[in-house]
Amino acid sequence: DIVLTQSPALAVSLGQRATISCRASESVRSSMHWYQQKSGQQPKLLIYGASNLASGVPARFSGSGSGTDFTFTIDPVEADDIATYYCQQSRNDPLTFGSGTKLEIK
Amino acid sequence: EVKLQQSGDELVRPGASVKMSCKASGYTFTDYAMHWVKQSPGQGLEWIGTIIPLIDTTSYNQKFKGKATLTADKSSNTAYMELSRLTSEDSAVYYCAMGQPNWFAYWGQGTLVTVSS
């Protein structure tokens, strides 16, 4: 199985940039996707195919990377962005998720 | 508007089975795969498997083979997941999600399964 590694938590000040990384145990090419999950809610797709913004998602959110190293960015961070962010690969079965990065406001 | 409406929360006894549903609306049900994802309490997300309703083909995460069975009813635009021989390890929120094809564009609200005697 492809293992996706994310740092567990990140604290950022409002209006600043938040950068979340996701490293894959083997190449997933550009088959990386990002989700936001707020407390008590279902996940929401933000980025697909490493860098494509999902429909209706603000341009403050962006993604980049290919192969094994990926980055998800929120710039600028707003209070409503408090959530856990997950990466997910679709290169190989089984589809796998990172363990999530909890975004906190300083 | 795409909507995935999942069935209500379940309290089930150890050793029993549970079958939950996911009713799709706002899109052509047979055009997209339906995935199922498990989220254990305070934990991350695990992919269980997927069904392609058009051809009734399923694919499972090896970890959930024998535990989960995925079906779909094209006449009612509803996907189902049955979990068998439940233990406390199966207590979790289970989500259905529309695949596009292998990322999850839309999610249901989740069904909480609690396994307890």
Side-chain angles (χ1 to χ4, degrees):
Chain A
D1 297 4
I2 295 177
V3 176
L4 303 180
T5 301
Q6 297 182 245
S7 52
L10 177 67
V12 178
S13 300
L14 292 176
Q16 298 303 302
R17 174 184 299 172
T19 301
I20 296 171
S21 64
C22 177
R23 175 164 287 177
S25 59
E26 61 185 86
S27 176
V28 300
R29 298 195 180 179
S30 62
S31 300
M32 185 65 77
H33 323 290
W34 292 91
Y35 303 85
Q36 175 193 66
Q37 187 177 32
K38 297 182 178 179
S39 179
Q41 296 184 18
Q42 68 269 50
K44 174 187 175 183
L45 176 69
L46 299 180
I47 300 288
Y48 65 94
S51 61
N52 300 289
L53 203 61
S55 176
V57 175
R60 303 186 294 107
F61 298 93
S62 63
S64 64
S66 65
T68 60
D69 291 298
F70 297 85
T71 300
F72 172 78
T73 301
I74 310 171
D75 190 9
V77 168
E78 298 182 356
D80 188 51
D81 298 335
I82 294 174
T84 299
Y85 293 85
Y86 294 93
C87 55
Q88 177 245 325
Q89 66 80 23
S90 61
R91 176 67 181 154
N92 286 348
D93 278 358
L95 309 180
T96 52
F97 292 87
S99 54
T101 298
K102 188 172 184 179
L103 180 66
E104 300 166 348
I105 304 298
K106 279 183 184 175
Chain B
E1 176 196 7
V2 173
K3 187 169 184 180
L4 301 177
Q5 184 65 43
Q6 295 188 238
S7 50
D9 297 344
E10 302 270 5
L11 173 62
V12 291
R13 300 289 185 236
S17 298
V18 67
K19 189 172 185 177
M20 64 191 76
S21 65
C22 171
K23 184 170 177 59
S25 60
Y27 72 98
T28 301
F29 183 63
T30 50
D31 280 355
Y32 298 92
M34 187 70 78
H35 297 265
W36 293 84
V37 175
K38 177 184 181 181
Q39 187 165 37
S40 301
Q43 301 299 308
L45 303 163
E46 288 185 281
W47 177 71
I48 295 170
T50 185
I51 184 166
I52 302 174
L54 181 64
I55 53 176
D56 270 333
T57 296
T58 55
S59 175
Y60 293 92
N61 184 336
Q62 184 70 31
K63 179 179 178 180
F64 291 96
K65 281 186 177 178
K67 170 63 65 179
T69 302
L70 306 184
T71 57
D73 179 357
K74 292 186 282 290
S75 68
S76 63
N77 294 340
T78 303
Y80 298 90
M81 179 172 69
E82 183 170 19
L83 301 173
S84 60
R85 299 182 303 279
L86 292 166
T87 72
S88 59
E89 296 295 305
D90 299 314
S91 293
V93 176
Y94 292 88
Y95 294 102
C96 60
M98 187 187 88
Q100 207 162 12
N102 282 336
W103 64 86
F104 312 117
Y106 297 94
W107 296 67
Q109 83 278 17
T111 293
L112 173 64
V113 174
T114 303
V115 182
S116 175
S117 55

